[in-house]
Amino acid sequence: MNLPNKLTTFRIFLIPIFALIIIFGGAQTVTVLGTKMFVSHIIAMVVFAVASATDWFDGHIARSRGLVTNFGKFADPLADKMLTMTAFVFLVELKLAPAWIIAVIVCRELAVTGLRLIVVENDGEVIAAAMPGKIKTTAQMLSIIFLLLGDIFHIGTVLLWIALIFTIYSGYDYFKNSWHIFKGSM
């Protein structure tokens, strides 16, 4: 297993650690910039930020060293989805994000993952992440970080709306570019 794929696997490993910190973190608070924050949310945000950073590093290393693999093209976006969807579910539970926005995001993620599987089965190709999907993932990850920090200056909310827009647009883009798979079967 090459280094980028190890980083992807490490990102997946950090997901339950993030979840356990949120679940068992306790109620101790600190005040930063006039905003009360749970210490456990700050620690969870750090774990989430480290996991998110591995997304950039694995992609950069894979492209710059010619280590792009089909496993990486499939597992990297799947790891991103697992990480962000886990965090989003907890943000809804903590009342830090509206459930309807998270439902749209989760439905799009499941639909695109299903599309990737259908394309692999029919064309034998793995759909690599396109730029709108990368922007979507970055906006989602940053929104989660800022929402966990108490949404200081509403930065997390603004980023969540940007993530929603790119979630919808990138989902449309993936389906538009893969529509040929469905033409003969409808």
Side-chain angles (χ1 to χ4, degrees):
M1 182 177 287
N2 65 30
L3 179 58
N5 292 341
K6 287 178 182 175
L7 288 171
T8 298
T9 304
F10 179 64
R11 182 161 62 256
I12 294 168
F13 171 76
L14 288 176
I15 295 168
I17 294 171
F18 167 83
L20 289 170
I21 292 168
I22 294 285
I23 294 167
F24 297 111
Q28 185 178 6
T29 62
V30 294
T31 302
V32 179
L33 296 173
T35 302
K36 188 181 274 190
M37 298 179 207
F38 288 101
V39 173
S40 61
H41 292 185
I42 296 169
I43 295 167
M45 181 280 304
V46 170
V47 171
F48 183 88
V50 168
S52 297
T54 66
D55 181 40
W56 183 84
F57 284 114
D58 68 19
H60 176 73
I61 293 168
R63 286 185 297 278
S64 68
R65 297 183 186 174
L67 299 173
V68 175
T69 64
N70 278 342
F71 173 81
K73 284 191 250 181
F74 177 77
D76 178 63
L78 183 61
D80 296 341
K81 287 170 180 35
M82 292 167 56
L83 177 65
T84 56
M85 287 196 297
T86 299
F88 279 139
V89 167
F90 280 107
L91 289 177
V92 169
E93 173 69 20
L94 297 168
K95 299 184 183 352
L96 297 173
W100 75 268
I101 291 178
I102 305 313
V104 170
I105 291 171
V106 168
C107 288
R108 179 269 187 209
E109 300 298 1
L110 293 172
V112 169
T113 299
L115 176 65
R116 288 174 187 271
L117 294 172
I118 291 168
V119 170
V120 164
E121 185 178 307
N122 287 288
D123 288 351
E125 294 182 22
V126 175
I127 300 175
M131 188 52 67
K134 291 179 181 186
I135 294 169
K136 176 240 2 147
T137 299
T138 301
Q140 286 179 354
M141 289 177 173
L142 289 173
S143 73
I144 291 164
I145 288 168
F146 282 98
L147 289 169
L148 283 170
L149 290 177
D151 200 17
I152 297 173
F153 307 120
H154 304 290
I155 295 169
T157 299
V158 170
L159 287 165
L160 185 60
W161 278 96
I162 292 169
L164 177 65
I165 291 164
F166 275 94
T167 293
I168 294 166
Y169 175 73
S170 64
Y172 163 78
D173 191 50
Y174 283 119
F175 275 90
K176 178 187 71 148
N177 292 333
S178 301
W179 194 247
H180 65 279
I181 294 295
F182 300 106
K183 278 187 177 179
S185 63
M186 293 178 93

